[in-house]
Amino acid sequence: MDTFRYIEGPVTLQLDQEACIGCGSCVVVCPHRILYLEQRKAYITNVDLCMECGACQANCPTEAITVDPGVGCAAYIIAKWVNRLLGREIVKGCC
């Protein structure tokens, strides 16, 4: 999956290292395997590989992971299309 990317930049996935207890639930449920455990903490390999399905957040017992499922890609695509129609340019990010 290293070569498959959605849109770079707008992904909303965030991981709070201090809140993570290293249970590994996020690693098990991530369909793109972008999360991994090291020394009892979860880490993100490449945030731009995230498809924002929300499985990691839903299975995190300490709420160390936050993501707005589907928001980044859809919002970015719509905003880019609307702004192109209005003659404006999106420099980075969504909305």
Side-chain angles (χ1 to χ4, degrees):
M1 297 302 288
D2 288 340
T3 59
F4 185 75
R5 297 179 191 267
Y6 291 91
I7 300 170
E8 292 187 15
V11 177
T12 61
L13 176 66
Q14 293 184 7
L15 172 63
D16 179 352
Q17 288 290 321
E18 292 185 26
C20 178
I21 59 171
C23 70
S25 293
C26 58
V27 175
V28 172
V29 300
C30 179
H32 285 217
R33 303 292 182 241
I34 66 164
L35 295 154
Y36 68 97
L37 284 181
E38 187 174 294
Q39 298 180 357
R40 305 258 327 135
K41 291 289 181 180
Y43 292 90
I44 300 170
T45 59
N46 185 332
V47 72
D48 287 325
L49 295 176
C50 178
M51 63 186 246
E52 297 184 316
C53 68
C56 56
Q57 176 178 290
N59 287 279
C60 181
T62 62
E63 299 179 351
I65 298 176
T66 57
V67 63
D68 291 329
V71 170
C73 292
Y76 180 80
I77 291 168
I78 292 167
K80 190 171 182 176
W81 177 74
V82 168
N83 282 303
R84 187 178 308 141
L85 288 175
L86 297 174
R88 299 184 302 216
E89 182 179 336
I90 296 177
V91 179
K92 184 179 176 188
C94 67
C95 306

